[in-house]
Amino acid sequence: MGFIVEGDESGDVVLEPPPNFSMVEEGIFRSSFPRPCNFAFLKTLNLRSIIYLCPEPYPEENLEFLRSHNIRLFQFGIEGKTEPSLASLKDAIRGALKILIDVRNHPVLIHCKRGKVIVQIQLLNVSFACGTELIKHRTGCLVGCLRKLQNWCLSSVFEEYQHFAGMKSRSADLRFIETFDI
Amino acid sequence: MGFIVEGDESGDVVLEPPPNFSMVEEGIFRSSFPRPCNFAFLKTLNLRSIIYLCPEPYPEENLEFLRSHNIRLFQFGIEGKTEPSLASLKDAIRGALKILIDVRNHPVLIHCKRGKVIVQIQLLNVSFACGTELIKHRTGCLVGCLRKLQNWCLSSVFEEYQHFAGMKSRSADLRFIETFDI
């Protein structure tokens, strides 16, 4: 745990974690989409990988940060030419979960998008429609599935989900987590 | 990270973390007041100590859990015969912070009370009045001071505080964190 942060040439760096940043488990972090102002903070985590749960291309400045710090990007965008089914969504979350619990990928940061950008994504998500609603808050769903794997009771899993989803909380996400077969 | 939880004689244990449970840093956890239904979960954290930030006596059943798992209790109740000053409150938080960042005490859980009980505590807190308002959400204040020590920018410190304090958020707490001299 680094309490003493090394200053750069200009002195002490004030660190700005991405919004909604939190430690999920040893070696596993979650946050909203990191912007360049968050890079100095991310550097202190010594990340080995990032799990990105949206289909949009990763911004070039973020890719550059990843390249220069040797961080591997695992993108689970669940994009498809044809409409992906709920089954393929579950497969994607299962794939992300495998990467997530593999300690060789730790420390790992999971994120999707939040804030204003979420509106665009939800519009884009229309292309994922599969008869019923699809999951919206992907980071929350992935962490929820991880908690099931850890034997957390559902009420605690939901509490944590809602804690981070806030206004973005969706009952479809809770159903997804509940029915996800670990 | 224990994804496979050993079952007891009766099979798999479903784990119930205390409300508002979260990992703060490697070896540092926070939560609301743990009840007996949370003990099976707490066991999986292999805690070495607990920092308890309220003056009320620790319940006997919790003490028994601590004794049987060799967990040390550090209580910073800030109780006093005479009215404690803001200075003595700061001293207490500083004392708690020292215990908190000492890795010999890790893994450590910080908690005060929350939920309905908070009302009683806030009434009890009247005895701590010191001219101005005093801090209410002590776990949040302690973690806020820790984040300052870690060089987090204030807006991120406040975001995290509000995230966990929710409706209990107090501007006096934010002022306390802001003016706390690490």
Side-chain angles (χ1 to χ4, degrees):
Chain A
M1 187 170 37
F3 290 117
I4 307 303
V5 178
E6 285 166 37
D8 59 8
E9 300 77 19
S10 59
D12 278 339
V13 183
V14 177
L15 301 172
E16 185 177 342
N20 239 357
F21 172 79
S22 182
M23 195 163 187
V24 179
E25 283 292 331
E26 216 178 299
I28 303 181
F29 304 92
R30 67 186 293 168
S31 76
S32 297
F33 200 85
R35 290 182 304 129
C37 59
N38 309 126
F39 290 168
F41 172 79
L42 290 189
K43 228 175 115 176
T44 68
L45 303 179
N46 296 315
L47 294 175
R48 201 174 285 166
S49 39
I50 281 184
I51 297 178
Y52 173 53
L53 298 164
C54 291
E56 292 80 2
Y58 214 59
E60 184 50 43
E61 49 196 0
N62 289 50
L63 282 175
E64 181 50 42
F65 172 76
L66 267 53
R67 272 192 293 267
S68 64
H69 293 85
N70 226 351
I71 299 168
R72 190 166 167 194
L73 178 67
F74 295 95
Q75 183 166 9
F76 291 87
I78 321 161
E79 215 163 11
K81 277 101 202 158
T82 59
E83 280 187 2
S85 62
L86 189 61
S88 72
L89 187 62
K90 285 189 174 177
D91 281 347
I93 291 284
R94 197 167 286 119
L97 204 50
K98 268 188 194 162
I99 300 294
L100 184 64
I101 64 174
D102 187 339
V103 291
R104 289 172 299 180
N105 300 320
H106 292 189
V108 56
L109 172 70
I110 323 162
H111 69 79
C112 41
K113 302 216 178 201
R114 276 207 69 193
K116 282 183 184 169
V117 195
I118 202 91
V119 181
Q120 297 177 314
I121 296 165
Q122 288 182 0
L123 291 174
L124 286 165
N125 273 350
V126 171
S127 62
F128 303 145
C130 64
T132 58
E133 286 171 281
L134 266 176
I135 64 169
K136 300 292 185 198
H137 183 35
R138 289 158 184 221
T139 300
C141 289
L142 180 59
V143 172
C145 295
L146 172 73
R147 296 313 191 186
K148 281 185 73 171
L149 202 59
Q150 292 181 294
N151 265 9
W152 282 33
C153 64
L154 261 190
S155 57
S156 299
V157 175
F158 289 173
E159 189 209 271
E160 185 181 43
Y161 168 89
Q162 270 153 345
H163 199 98
F164 286 93
M167 302 281 286
K168 306 274 178 297
S169 176
R170 292 283 182 285
S171 54
D173 288 8
L174 301 181
R175 276 198 301 278
F176 180 88
I177 296 169
E178 183 173 359
T179 58
F180 186 81
D181 185 7
I182 50 162
Chain B
M1 187 170 38
F3 289 117
I4 306 304
V5 178
E6 286 167 37
D8 58 8
E9 300 78 18
S10 59
D12 279 338
V13 184
V14 177
L15 300 171
E16 185 177 342
N20 240 357
F21 172 80
S22 182
M23 195 163 186
V24 178
E25 282 293 331
E26 216 178 300
I28 303 181
F29 304 91
R30 68 186 293 169
S31 76
S32 296
F33 200 85
R35 291 183 303 129
C37 60
N38 310 125
F39 290 167
F41 173 78
L42 290 188
K43 229 176 116 176
T44 68
L45 303 179
N46 296 315
L47 294 175
R48 202 175 283 167
S49 39
I50 281 183
I51 297 179
Y52 172 54
L53 298 164
C54 291
E56 291 80 2
Y58 214 59
E60 184 51 43
E61 48 195 1
N62 290 51
L63 283 174
E64 181 50 42
F65 173 76
L66 267 54
R67 271 193 293 267
S68 63
H69 293 85
N70 227 350
I71 299 168
R72 191 166 166 193
L73 178 68
F74 295 96
Q75 183 166 9
F76 291 87
I78 319 159
E79 215 163 11
K81 277 99 204 160
T82 59
E83 280 187 3
S85 62
L86 189 60
S88 71
L89 188 61
K90 285 188 175 178
D91 282 346
I93 291 284
R94 197 168 286 118
L97 204 49
K98 267 187 194 162
I99 300 294
L100 184 64
I101 63 175
D102 187 338
V103 291
R104 289 171 299 181
N105 300 321
H106 292 188
V108 56
L109 172 70
I110 324 162
H111 69 80
C112 42
K113 302 217 179 200
R114 276 207 70 193
K116 282 183 184 169
V117 195
I118 202 90
V119 181
Q120 295 177 315
I121 295 166
Q122 288 182 359
L123 290 173
L124 286 164
N125 272 351
V126 171
S127 61
F128 303 145
C130 64
T132 58
E133 287 171 281
L134 266 176
I135 63 170
K136 300 290 185 199
H137 183 34
R138 289 157 185 223
T139 301
C141 289
L142 180 59
V143 172
C145 295
L146 172 74
R147 295 313 191 186
K148 281 184 72 170
L149 202 59
Q150 293 180 293
N151 265 9
W152 281 33
C153 64
L154 261 190
S155 56
S156 300
V157 176
F158 289 173
E159 189 209 270
E160 185 180 44
Y161 168 88
Q162 271 153 343
H163 199 97
F164 286 93
M167 303 281 286
K168 306 275 178 296
S169 176
R170 292 282 182 285
S171 54
D173 288 8
L174 300 182
R175 278 198 301 277
F176 180 88
I177 295 169
E178 183 173 358
T179 58
F180 186 81
D181 185 7
I182 49 162

